[in-house]
Amino acid sequence: MNYVAENLGLPCNPDSITLQCTNKFEMRKKMKEHNVKTPLFIKVTNDSSTWKTENMKFPVIVKPTDRSGSRGITKVENAQELEKAVQYATKDSFEKMAIIEEYIEGNEYSCECISYNGEHHFLAFTKKFTTEAPHFIETGHCEPAADIKEEYKEEIKQNIFKALTALGIQNGASHTEFKVNEKGKFGIIEIGARMGGDCIGSDLVQISTGYDYVKMVIDVAVGKAPDFTKVTNPTKATIKFIFTEKDLEEMENFKKENPKKIYRISELDRENIGKTVDSSTRVGYYITTE
């Protein structure tokens, strides 16, 4: 997309930054170069004789260098589990490479932003729910993330803006996944130079903030400053993903008891009930509002 926009003379991020915004290893390298707090990390193949993990503390996270959607991710507690995790990650990798990085403790969130001419604008913090270890498949999201302590928010924002600048993100949406613990210790997991998936960018941001995020992205793409006029009244927004028959039952009960709070229910792929292995194989979802 950057390549096409750049060659058409449209506002965009330089095509030269595409790799560091899509490859997790290159992203970590660039953030480290710009003194953005980064866990220890290495890139590996299946050849364990080349791994240099002596200085890394377990647990670690192993994931493909170049995939998304919770594919190929494993939390590893000790060196004996590494080989299986790396094989799992490289199998899903386009370039057949994995990244091993020290595990970041804390609750998981994401930060949704819009950038214009190199200036970054905060939109929302999203609370993220997952299946937890070992594979961390996302089970839901909630905006706004009400449990981040107020005294930590500004520092988190500034660290994320610093990381966006380090990656060369100048125009358009961004989705930064991060963790923060009760004491405010903060760490970035990864950044996408795009709107958050799982209906975060398309729906949850507007519901929870009132801002037309999709219009902002379009405006920036044609050289206009993002418009921060509220087009709807903000309210709490939650998306829940369906994995099992129990999840389906919970959705049906919620719909029956709170029909006015249902914002949308997706089509359901019932053949995947009980078979979810990553984000692409979830059965469906429903979005609720307050």
Side-chain angles (χ1 to χ4, degrees):
M1 187 177 295
N2 290 333
Y3 174 82
V4 172
E6 195 170 55
N7 280 274
L8 289 174
L10 296 172
C12 62
N13 294 313
D15 186 45
S16 58
I17 74 163
T18 298
L19 181 62
Q20 63 207 39
C21 290
T22 55
N23 185 288
K24 301 178 197 315
F25 176 72
E26 298 297 331
M27 183 179 298
R28 285 291 189 210
K29 278 204 317 181
K30 187 59 64 173
M31 288 195 291
K32 184 178 180 181
E33 288 172 9
H34 288 262
N35 298 313
V36 177
K37 188 176 180 181
T38 305
L40 288 178
F41 63 97
I42 58 171
K43 183 166 70 169
V44 298
T45 65
N46 278 332
D47 182 2
S48 59
S49 67
T50 65
W51 303 352
K52 296 180 180 180
T53 58
E54 297 84 5
N55 296 323
M56 302 183 81
K57 295 180 181 179
F58 286 89
V60 298
I61 288 288
V62 181
K63 50 191 174 182
T65 53
D66 52 3
R67 292 304 300 264
S68 59
S70 303
R71 295 176 179 87
I73 298 174
T74 309
K75 182 183 180 185
V76 176
E77 300 290 345
N78 54 65
Q80 290 70 40
E81 298 174 358
L82 261 182
E83 186 170 356
K84 183 178 178 181
V86 170
Q87 290 175 351
Y88 180 58
T90 56
K91 182 181 177 181
D92 272 339
S93 170
F94 294 119
E95 65 175 1
K96 303 306 176 189
M97 303 289 288
I99 182 172
I100 303 173
E101 59 185 38
E102 289 184 344
Y103 182 68
I104 300 171
E105 299 285 352
N107 293 323
E108 187 171 346
Y109 306 89
S110 63
C111 179
E112 324 311 325
C113 294
I114 186 79
S115 300
Y116 178 65
N117 289 341
E119 184 176 354
H120 311 302
H121 302 275
F122 168 81
L123 296 174
F125 286 130
T126 308
K127 178 68 180 285
K128 304 174 80 66
F129 303 91
T130 75
T131 57
E132 297 297 331
H135 301 308
F136 299 94
I137 305 168
E138 290 163 332
T139 61
H141 310 287
C142 180
E143 282 185 22
D147 60 340
I148 300 178
K149 292 182 179 180
E150 197 65 36
E151 60 263 37
Y152 301 150
K153 289 182 179 179
E154 187 59 33
E155 184 178 356
I156 291 170
K157 291 177 192 176
Q158 294 307 316
N159 274 286
I160 288 171
F161 290 171
K162 181 179 179 181
L164 296 177
T165 298
L167 292 177
I169 294 172
Q170 300 174 20
N171 292 291
S174 62
H175 171 73
T176 302
E177 296 177 348
F178 67 94
K179 284 188 174 182
V180 62
N181 66 15
E182 286 297 313
K183 296 182 179 180
K185 188 176 180 180
F186 163 83
I188 292 174
I189 300 171
E190 58 191 56
I191 296 175
R194 53 171 175 76
M195 299 172 80
D198 284 354
C199 301
I200 292 172
S202 60
D203 297 278
L204 268 60
V205 171
Q206 180 167 325
I207 296 169
S208 67
T209 68
Y211 300 136
D212 190 338
Y213 193 17
V214 174
K215 182 178 182 295
M216 286 182 177
V217 173
I218 294 171
D219 282 346
V220 170
V222 295
K224 295 181 181 179
D227 182 359
F228 288 89
T229 303
K230 291 186 185 293
V231 296
T232 57
N233 293 321
T235 186
K236 179 181 177 181
T238 302
I239 184 168
K240 294 184 178 181
F241 294 96
I242 297 166
F243 290 59
T244 65
E245 289 285 359
K246 182 180 178 181
D247 296 336
L248 277 173
E249 183 179 340
E250 288 179 358
M251 181 189 74
E252 292 299 333
N253 288 338
F254 186 94
K255 183 170 67 171
K256 184 177 180 179
E257 295 170 7
N258 305 276
K260 293 183 179 180
K261 292 184 178 182
I262 293 288
Y263 179 82
R264 183 167 69 241
I265 298 175
S266 73
E267 292 185 11
L268 303 177
D269 186 358
R270 295 178 183 271
E271 291 185 1
N272 276 337
I273 292 176
K275 300 177 183 178
T276 299
V277 295
D278 56 38
S279 296
S280 69
T281 54
R282 293 174 298 199
V283 176
Y285 66 83
Y286 58 109
I287 299 174
T288 66
T289 65
E290 293 293 318

PDB file of all heavy atoms in Angstrom, residues 239-267:
ATOM      1  N   ILE A 239     -16.213  -6.418  22.422  1.00  0.00           N
ATOM      2  CA  ILE A 239     -16.375  -7.490  21.444  1.00  0.00           C
ATOM      3  C   ILE A 239     -15.947  -8.789  22.112  1.00  0.00           C
ATOM      4  O   ILE A 239     -14.923  -8.839  22.785  1.00  0.00           O
ATOM      5  CB  ILE A 239     -15.573  -7.236  20.151  1.00  0.00           C
ATOM      6  CG1 ILE A 239     -15.840  -8.341  19.120  1.00  0.00           C
ATOM      7  CG2 ILE A 239     -14.083  -7.084  20.413  1.00  0.00           C
ATOM      8  CD1 ILE A 239     -15.318  -8.031  17.729  1.00  0.00           C
ATOM      9  N   LYS A 240     -16.765  -9.827  21.953  1.00  0.00           N
ATOM     10  CA  LYS A 240     -16.448 -11.147  22.495  1.00  0.00           C
ATOM     11  C   LYS A 240     -16.438 -12.156  21.355  1.00  0.00           C
ATOM     12  O   LYS A 240     -17.346 -12.154  20.512  1.00  0.00           O
ATOM     13  CB  LYS A 240     -17.461 -11.554  23.559  1.00  0.00           C
ATOM     14  CG  LYS A 240     -17.409 -10.682  24.808  1.00  0.00           C
ATOM     15  CD  LYS A 240     -18.357 -11.176  25.893  1.00  0.00           C
ATOM     16  CE  LYS A 240     -18.246 -10.318  27.140  1.00  0.00           C
ATOM     17  NZ  LYS A 240     -19.150 -10.786  28.219  1.00  0.00           N
ATOM     18  N   PHE A 241     -15.423 -13.004  21.345  1.00  0.00           N
ATOM     19  CA  PHE A 241     -15.280 -14.010  20.292  1.00  0.00           C
ATOM     20  C   PHE A 241     -15.786 -15.366  20.781  1.00  0.00           C
ATOM     21  O   PHE A 241     -15.676 -15.701  21.965  1.00  0.00           O
ATOM     22  CB  PHE A 241     -13.830 -14.094  19.828  1.00  0.00           C
ATOM     23  CG  PHE A 241     -13.381 -12.837  19.151  1.00  0.00           C
ATOM     24  CD1 PHE A 241     -12.700 -11.859  19.859  1.00  0.00           C
ATOM     25  CD2 PHE A 241     -13.682 -12.605  17.816  1.00  0.00           C
ATOM     26  CE1 PHE A 241     -12.317 -10.680  19.243  1.00  0.00           C
ATOM     27  CE2 PHE A 241     -13.303 -11.425  17.203  1.00  0.00           C
ATOM     28  CZ  PHE A 241     -12.623 -10.465  17.917  1.00  0.00           C
ATOM     29  N   ILE A 242     -16.304 -16.107  19.836  1.00  0.00           N
ATOM     30  CA  ILE A 242     -16.922 -17.398  20.155  1.00  0.00           C
ATOM     31  C   ILE A 242     -15.972 -18.519  19.771  1.00  0.00           C
ATOM     32  O   ILE A 242     -15.501 -18.589  18.636  1.00  0.00           O
ATOM     33  CB  ILE A 242     -18.272 -17.531  19.426  1.00  0.00           C
ATOM     34  CG1 ILE A 242     -19.224 -16.439  19.921  1.00  0.00           C
ATOM     35  CG2 ILE A 242     -18.873 -18.913  19.643  1.00  0.00           C
ATOM     36  CD1 ILE A 242     -20.439 -16.244  19.056  1.00  0.00           C
ATOM     37  N   PHE A 243     -15.695 -19.386  20.745  1.00  0.00           N
ATOM     38  CA  PHE A 243     -14.828 -20.535  20.542  1.00  0.00           C
ATOM     39  C   PHE A 243     -15.595 -21.848  20.715  1.00  0.00           C
ATOM     40  O   PHE A 243     -15.328 -22.821  20.026  1.00  0.00           O
ATOM     41  CB  PHE A 243     -13.684 -20.525  21.559  1.00  0.00           C
ATOM     42  CG  PHE A 243     -12.648 -19.448  21.369  1.00  0.00           C
ATOM     43  CD1 PHE A 243     -12.973 -18.112  21.382  1.00  0.00           C
ATOM     44  CD2 PHE A 243     -11.313 -19.787  21.202  1.00  0.00           C
ATOM     45  CE1 PHE A 243     -12.008 -17.125  21.240  1.00  0.00           C
ATOM     46  CE2 PHE A 243     -10.335 -18.806  21.049  1.00  0.00           C
ATOM     47  CZ  PHE A 243     -10.695 -17.479  21.069  1.00  0.00           C
ATOM     48  N   THR A 244     -16.521 -21.868  21.673  1.00  0.00           N
ATOM     49  CA  THR A 244     -17.145 -23.118  22.119  1.00  0.00           C
ATOM     50  C   THR A 244     -18.671 -23.014  22.156  1.00  0.00           C
ATOM     51  O   THR A 244     -19.245 -21.929  22.011  1.00  0.00           O
ATOM     52  CB  THR A 244     -16.656 -23.468  23.528  1.00  0.00           C
ATOM     53  OG1 THR A 244     -17.118 -22.445  24.442  1.00  0.00           O
ATOM     54  CG2 THR A 244     -15.128 -23.552  23.590  1.00  0.00           C
ATOM     55  N   GLU A 245     -19.297 -24.140  22.423  1.00  0.00           N
ATOM     56  CA  GLU A 245     -20.756 -24.166  22.601  1.00  0.00           C
ATOM     57  C   GLU A 245     -21.159 -23.311  23.806  1.00  0.00           C
ATOM     58  O   GLU A 245     -22.202 -22.656  23.781  1.00  0.00           O
ATOM     59  CB  GLU A 245     -21.236 -25.607  22.805  1.00  0.00           C
ATOM     60  CG  GLU A 245     -21.171 -26.480  21.565  1.00  0.00           C
ATOM     61  CD  GLU A 245     -22.276 -26.185  20.552  1.00  0.00           C
ATOM     62  OE1 GLU A 245     -23.121 -25.291  20.831  1.00  0.00           O
ATOM     63  OE2 GLU A 245     -22.303 -26.836  19.495  1.00  0.00           O
ATOM     64  N   LYS A 246     -20.323 -23.305  24.851  1.00  0.00           N
ATOM     65  CA  LYS A 246     -20.611 -22.488  26.028  1.00  0.00           C
ATOM     66  C   LYS A 246     -20.627 -21.004  25.665  1.00  0.00           C
ATOM     67  O   LYS A 246     -21.482 -20.248  26.135  1.00  0.00           O
ATOM     68  CB  LYS A 246     -19.567 -22.751  27.115  1.00  0.00           C
ATOM     69  CG  LYS A 246     -19.826 -21.973  28.401  1.00  0.00           C
ATOM     70  CD  LYS A 246     -18.765 -22.257  29.438  1.00  0.00           C
ATOM     71  CE  LYS A 246     -19.018 -21.415  30.699  1.00  0.00           C
ATOM     72  NZ  LYS A 246     -17.981 -21.655  31.735  1.00  0.00           N
ATOM     73  N   ASP A 247     -19.679 -20.585  24.802  1.00  0.00           N
ATOM     74  CA  ASP A 247     -19.655 -19.191  24.350  1.00  0.00           C
ATOM     75  C   ASP A 247     -20.926 -18.842  23.581  1.00  0.00           C
ATOM     76  O   ASP A 247     -21.484 -17.747  23.735  1.00  0.00           O
ATOM     77  CB  ASP A 247     -18.440 -18.944  23.454  1.00  0.00           C
ATOM     78  CG  ASP A 247     -17.121 -19.105  24.186  1.00  0.00           C
ATOM     79  OD1 ASP A 247     -17.092 -18.954  25.415  1.00  0.00           O
ATOM     80  OD2 ASP A 247     -16.117 -19.391  23.506  1.00  0.00           O
ATOM     81  N   LEU A 248     -21.382 -19.765  22.749  1.00  0.00           N
ATOM     82  CA  LEU A 248     -22.630 -19.551  22.002  1.00  0.00           C
ATOM     83  C   LEU A 248     -23.814 -19.399  22.946  1.00  0.00           C
ATOM     84  O   LEU A 248     -24.672 -18.525  22.758  1.00  0.00           O
ATOM     85  CB  LEU A 248     -22.879 -20.724  21.052  1.00  0.00           C
ATOM     86  CG  LEU A 248     -22.173 -20.721  19.704  1.00  0.00           C
ATOM     87  CD1 LEU A 248     -22.398 -22.046  18.979  1.00  0.00           C
ATOM     88  CD2 LEU A 248     -22.654 -19.574  18.836  1.00  0.00           C
ATOM     89  N   GLU A 249     -23.841 -20.232  23.971  1.00  0.00           N
ATOM     90  CA  GLU A 249     -24.926 -20.167  24.945  1.00  0.00           C
ATOM     91  C   GLU A 249     -24.911 -18.836  25.693  1.00  0.00           C
ATOM     92  O   GLU A 249     -25.965 -18.221  25.905  1.00  0.00           O
ATOM     93  CB  GLU A 249     -24.781 -21.330  25.933  1.00  0.00           C
ATOM     94  CG  GLU A 249     -25.905 -21.414  26.946  1.00  0.00           C
ATOM     95  CD  GLU A 249     -25.730 -22.593  27.894  1.00  0.00           C
ATOM     96  OE1 GLU A 249     -24.986 -23.528  27.560  1.00  0.00           O
ATOM     97  OE2 GLU A 249     -26.338 -22.546  28.984  1.00  0.00           O
ATOM     98  N   GLU A 250     -23.714 -18.379  26.062  1.00  0.00           N
ATOM     99  CA  GLU A 250     -23.596 -17.086  26.746  1.00  0.00           C
ATOM    100  C   GLU A 250     -24.081 -15.945  25.857  1.00  0.00           C
ATOM    101  O   GLU A 250     -24.744 -15.016  26.327  1.00  0.00           O
ATOM    102  CB  GLU A 250     -22.146 -16.851  27.166  1.00  0.00           C
ATOM    103  CG  GLU A 250     -21.694 -17.730  28.320  1.00  0.00           C
ATOM    104  CD  GLU A 250     -20.251 -17.488  28.702  1.00  0.00           C
ATOM    105  OE1 GLU A 250     -19.585 -16.660  28.031  1.00  0.00           O
ATOM    106  OE2 GLU A 250     -19.777 -18.119  29.663  1.00  0.00           O
ATOM    107  N   MET A 251     -23.739 -16.022  24.555  1.00  0.00           N
ATOM    108  CA  MET A 251     -24.198 -14.987  23.625  1.00  0.00           C
ATOM    109  C   MET A 251     -25.720 -14.979  23.532  1.00  0.00           C
ATOM    110  O   MET A 251     -26.354 -13.913  23.572  1.00  0.00           O
ATOM    111  CB  MET A 251     -23.583 -15.203  22.242  1.00  0.00           C
ATOM    112  CG  MET A 251     -24.008 -14.135  21.238  1.00  0.00           C
ATOM    113  SD  MET A 251     -23.508 -14.502  19.537  1.00  0.00           S
ATOM    114  CE  MET A 251     -24.694 -15.801  19.134  1.00  0.00           C
ATOM    115  N   GLU A 252     -26.315 -16.146  23.393  1.00  0.00           N
ATOM    116  CA  GLU A 252     -27.771 -16.224  23.264  1.00  0.00           C
ATOM    117  C   GLU A 252     -28.458 -15.718  24.524  1.00  0.00           C
ATOM    118  O   GLU A 252     -29.483 -15.032  24.440  1.00  0.00           O
ATOM    119  CB  GLU A 252     -28.191 -17.667  22.963  1.00  0.00           C
ATOM    120  CG  GLU A 252     -27.770 -18.176  21.595  1.00  0.00           C
ATOM    121  CD  GLU A 252     -28.367 -17.370  20.442  1.00  0.00           C
ATOM    122  OE1 GLU A 252     -29.458 -16.777  20.634  1.00  0.00           O
ATOM    123  OE2 GLU A 252     -27.747 -17.328  19.373  1.00  0.00           O
ATOM    124  N   ASN A 253     -27.912 -16.028  25.693  1.00  0.00           N
ATOM    125  CA  ASN A 253     -28.499 -15.547  26.947  1.00  0.00           C
ATOM    126  C   ASN A 253     -28.387 -14.029  27.048  1.00  0.00           C
ATOM    127  O   ASN A 253     -29.335 -13.350  27.478  1.00  0.00           O
ATOM    128  CB  ASN A 253     -27.799 -16.198  28.140  1.00  0.00           C
ATOM    129  CG  ASN A 253     -28.158 -17.664  28.286  1.00  0.00           C
ATOM    130  OD1 ASN A 253     -29.178 -18.105  27.790  1.00  0.00           O
ATOM    131  ND2 ASN A 253     -27.316 -18.414  28.993  1.00  0.00           N
ATOM    132  N   PHE A 254     -27.213 -13.486  26.648  1.00  0.00           N
ATOM    133  CA  PHE A 254     -27.031 -12.033  26.689  1.00  0.00           C
ATOM    134  C   PHE A 254     -28.015 -11.355  25.737  1.00  0.00           C
ATOM    135  O   PHE A 254     -28.632 -10.342  26.095  1.00  0.00           O
ATOM    136  CB  PHE A 254     -25.596 -11.671  26.320  1.00  0.00           C
ATOM    137  CG  PHE A 254     -25.296 -10.206  26.484  1.00  0.00           C
ATOM    138  CD1 PHE A 254     -24.740  -9.734  27.660  1.00  0.00           C
ATOM    139  CD2 PHE A 254     -25.572  -9.285  25.470  1.00  0.00           C
ATOM    140  CE1 PHE A 254     -24.470  -8.376  27.829  1.00  0.00           C
ATOM    141  CE2 PHE A 254     -25.309  -7.940  25.630  1.00  0.00           C
ATOM    142  CZ  PHE A 254     -24.756  -7.478  26.814  1.00  0.00           C
ATOM    143  N   LYS A 255     -28.150 -11.906  24.548  1.00  0.00           N
ATOM    144  CA  LYS A 255     -29.059 -11.325  23.555  1.00  0.00           C
ATOM    145  C   LYS A 255     -30.502 -11.332  24.068  1.00  0.00           C
ATOM    146  O   LYS A 255     -31.256 -10.361  23.862  1.00  0.00           O
ATOM    147  CB  LYS A 255     -28.951 -12.112  22.247  1.00  0.00           C
ATOM    148  CG  LYS A 255     -29.800 -11.545  21.113  1.00  0.00           C
ATOM    149  CD  LYS A 255     -29.473 -12.214  19.797  1.00  0.00           C
ATOM    150  CE  LYS A 255     -29.866 -13.666  19.784  1.00  0.00           C
ATOM    151  NZ  LYS A 255     -29.750 -14.270  18.432  1.00  0.00           N
ATOM    152  N   LYS A 256     -30.875 -12.373  24.758  1.00  0.00           N
ATOM    153  CA  LYS A 256     -32.235 -12.496  25.280  1.00  0.00           C
ATOM    154  C   LYS A 256     -32.485 -11.510  26.416  1.00  0.00           C
ATOM    155  O   LYS A 256     -33.557 -10.889  26.501  1.00  0.00           O
ATOM    156  CB  LYS A 256     -32.467 -13.927  25.765  1.00  0.00           C
ATOM    157  CG  LYS A 256     -33.876 -14.208  26.250  1.00  0.00           C
ATOM    158  CD  LYS A 256     -34.013 -15.668  26.645  1.00  0.00           C
ATOM    159  CE  LYS A 256     -35.432 -15.983  27.133  1.00  0.00           C
ATOM    160  NZ  LYS A 256     -35.570 -17.409  27.507  1.00  0.00           N
ATOM    161  N   GLU A 257     -31.466 -11.337  27.278  1.00  0.00           N
ATOM    162  CA  GLU A 257     -31.634 -10.503  28.461  1.00  0.00           C
ATOM    163  C   GLU A 257     -31.332  -9.023  28.201  1.00  0.00           C
ATOM    164  O   GLU A 257     -31.831  -8.157  28.923  1.00  0.00           O
ATOM    165  CB  GLU A 257     -30.719 -11.023  29.577  1.00  0.00           C
ATOM    166  CG  GLU A 257     -31.099 -12.420  30.050  1.00  0.00           C
ATOM    167  CD  GLU A 257     -30.047 -13.029  30.975  1.00  0.00           C
ATOM    168  OE1 GLU A 257     -29.098 -12.282  31.344  1.00  0.00           O
ATOM    169  OE2 GLU A 257     -30.161 -14.219  31.297  1.00  0.00           O
ATOM    170  N   ASN A 258     -30.500  -8.741  27.174  1.00  0.00           N
ATOM    171  CA  ASN A 258     -30.084  -7.357  26.908  1.00  0.00           C
ATOM    172  C   ASN A 258     -30.171  -7.035  25.416  1.00  0.00           C
ATOM    173  O   ASN A 258     -29.165  -6.648  24.799  1.00  0.00           O
ATOM    174  CB  ASN A 258     -28.637  -7.152  27.383  1.00  0.00           C
ATOM    175  CG  ASN A 258     -28.416  -7.524  28.826  1.00  0.00           C
ATOM    176  OD1 ASN A 258     -28.662  -6.736  29.728  1.00  0.00           O
ATOM    177  ND2 ASN A 258     -27.928  -8.750  29.050  1.00  0.00           N
ATOM    178  N   PRO A 259     -31.330  -7.182  24.809  1.00  0.00           N
ATOM    179  CA  PRO A 259     -31.413  -7.017  23.348  1.00  0.00           C
ATOM    180  C   PRO A 259     -30.962  -5.644  22.857  1.00  0.00           C
ATOM    181  O   PRO A 259     -30.400  -5.533  21.754  1.00  0.00           O
ATOM    182  CB  PRO A 259     -32.898  -7.255  23.049  1.00  0.00           C
ATOM    183  CG  PRO A 259     -33.602  -6.992  24.348  1.00  0.00           C
ATOM    184  CD  PRO A 259     -32.642  -7.448  25.413  1.00  0.00           C
ATOM    185  N   LYS A 260     -31.166  -4.599  23.650  1.00  0.00           N
ATOM    186  CA  LYS A 260     -30.803  -3.246  23.214  1.00  0.00           C
ATOM    187  C   LYS A 260     -29.296  -2.997  23.280  1.00  0.00           C
ATOM    188  O   LYS A 260     -28.807  -2.003  22.725  1.00  0.00           O
ATOM    189  CB  LYS A 260     -31.545  -2.209  24.051  1.00  0.00           C
ATOM    190  CG  LYS A 260     -33.062  -2.204  23.812  1.00  0.00           C
ATOM    191  CD  LYS A 260     -33.740  -1.105  24.604  1.00  0.00           C
ATOM    192  CE  LYS A 260     -35.239  -1.083  24.341  1.00  0.00           C
ATOM    193  NZ  LYS A 260     -35.911  -0.012  25.118  1.00  0.00           N
ATOM    194  N   LYS A 261     -28.568  -3.884  23.955  1.00  0.00           N
ATOM    195  CA  LYS A 261     -27.121  -3.711  24.082  1.00  0.00           C
ATOM    196  C   LYS A 261     -26.346  -4.451  22.988  1.00  0.00           C
ATOM    197  O   LYS A 261     -25.127  -4.331  22.910  1.00  0.00           O
ATOM    198  CB  LYS A 261     -26.642  -4.177  25.455  1.00  0.00           C
ATOM    199  CG  LYS A 261     -27.138  -3.294  26.601  1.00  0.00           C
ATOM    200  CD  LYS A 261     -26.543  -3.740  27.932  1.00  0.00           C
ATOM    201  CE  LYS A 261     -26.991  -2.827  29.057  1.00  0.00           C
ATOM    202  NZ  LYS A 261     -26.378  -3.222  30.354  1.00  0.00           N
ATOM    203  N   ILE A 262     -27.038  -5.202  22.155  1.00  0.00           N
ATOM    204  CA  ILE A 262     -26.378  -5.899  21.050  1.00  0.00           C
ATOM    205  C   ILE A 262     -26.171  -4.912  19.899  1.00  0.00           C
ATOM    206  O   ILE A 262     -27.123  -4.342  19.373  1.00  0.00           O
ATOM    207  CB  ILE A 262     -27.207  -7.100  20.555  1.00  0.00           C
ATOM    208  CG1 ILE A 262     -27.261  -8.190  21.625  1.00  0.00           C
ATOM    209  CG2 ILE A 262     -26.633  -7.655  19.252  1.00  0.00           C
ATOM    210  CD1 ILE A 262     -25.960  -8.939  21.831  1.00  0.00           C
ATOM    211  N   TYR A 263     -24.928  -4.709  19.543  1.00  0.00           N
ATOM    212  CA  TYR A 263     -24.585  -3.815  18.436  1.00  0.00           C
ATOM    213  C   TYR A 263     -24.510  -4.590  17.132  1.00  0.00           C
ATOM    214  O   TYR A 263     -25.012  -4.145  16.103  1.00  0.00           O
ATOM    215  CB  TYR A 263     -23.240  -3.144  18.743  1.00  0.00           C
ATOM    216  CG  TYR A 263     -22.725  -2.212  17.675  1.00  0.00           C
ATOM    217  CD1 TYR A 263     -23.185  -0.899  17.591  1.00  0.00           C
ATOM    218  CD2 TYR A 263     -21.754  -2.631  16.772  1.00  0.00           C
ATOM    219  CE1 TYR A 263     -22.697  -0.028  16.629  1.00  0.00           C
ATOM    220  CE2 TYR A 263     -21.260  -1.770  15.806  1.00  0.00           C
ATOM    221  CZ  TYR A 263     -21.734  -0.470  15.735  1.00  0.00           C
ATOM    222  OH  TYR A 263     -21.244   0.377  14.775  1.00  0.00           O
ATOM    223  N   ARG A 264     -23.880  -5.747  17.152  1.00  0.00           N
ATOM    224  CA  ARG A 264     -23.799  -6.590  15.955  1.00  0.00           C
ATOM    225  C   ARG A 264     -23.394  -8.000  16.350  1.00  0.00           C
ATOM    226  O   ARG A 264     -22.614  -8.207  17.270  1.00  0.00           O
ATOM    227  CB  ARG A 264     -22.786  -6.029  14.955  1.00  0.00           C
ATOM    228  CG  ARG A 264     -22.744  -6.848  13.651  1.00  0.00           C
ATOM    229  CD  ARG A 264     -21.985  -6.154  12.532  1.00  0.00           C
ATOM    230  NE  ARG A 264     -20.564  -6.070  12.766  1.00  0.00           N
ATOM    231  CZ  ARG A 264     -19.884  -4.922  12.860  1.00  0.00           C
ATOM    232  NH1 ARG A 264     -20.511  -3.764  12.755  1.00  0.00           N
ATOM    233  NH2 ARG A 264     -18.581  -4.923  13.066  1.00  0.00           N
ATOM    234  N   ILE A 265     -23.938  -8.963  15.616  1.00  0.00           N
ATOM    235  CA  ILE A 265     -23.530 -10.362  15.726  1.00  0.00           C
ATOM    236  C   ILE A 265     -23.045 -10.799  14.355  1.00  0.00           C
ATOM    237  O   ILE A 265     -23.715 -10.578  13.342  1.00  0.00           O
ATOM    238  CB  ILE A 265     -24.690 -11.267  16.183  1.00  0.00           C
ATOM    239  CG1 ILE A 265     -25.166 -10.849  17.580  1.00  0.00           C
ATOM    240  CG2 ILE A 265     -24.264 -12.736  16.186  1.00  0.00           C
ATOM    241  CD1 ILE A 265     -26.390 -11.613  18.072  1.00  0.00           C
ATOM    242  N   SER A 266     -21.880 -11.397  14.305  1.00  0.00           N
ATOM    243  CA  SER A 266     -21.311 -11.825  13.024  1.00  0.00           C
ATOM    244  C   SER A 266     -21.955 -13.112  12.540  1.00  0.00           C
ATOM    245  O   SER A 266     -22.699 -13.792  13.274  1.00  0.00           O
ATOM    246  CB  SER A 266     -19.800 -12.079  13.181  1.00  0.00           C
ATOM    247  OG  SER A 266     -19.578 -13.282  13.903  1.00  0.00           O
ATOM    248  N   GLU A 267     -21.664 -13.457  11.304  1.00  0.00           N
ATOM    249  CA  GLU A 267     -21.990 -14.800  10.842  1.00  0.00           C
ATOM    250  C   GLU A 267     -21.159 -15.788  11.645  1.00  0.00           C
ATOM    251  O   GLU A 267     -20.028 -15.496  12.046  1.00  0.00           O
ATOM    252  CB  GLU A 267     -21.682 -14.949   9.349  1.00  0.00           C
ATOM    253  CG  GLU A 267     -22.586 -14.118   8.451  1.00  0.00           C
ATOM    254  CD  GLU A 267     -22.340 -14.390   6.982  1.00  0.00           C
ATOM    255  OE1 GLU A 267     -21.628 -15.373   6.673  1.00  0.00           O
ATOM    256  OE2 GLU A 267     -22.850 -13.617   6.152  1.00  0.00           O
TER     257      GLU A 267
END
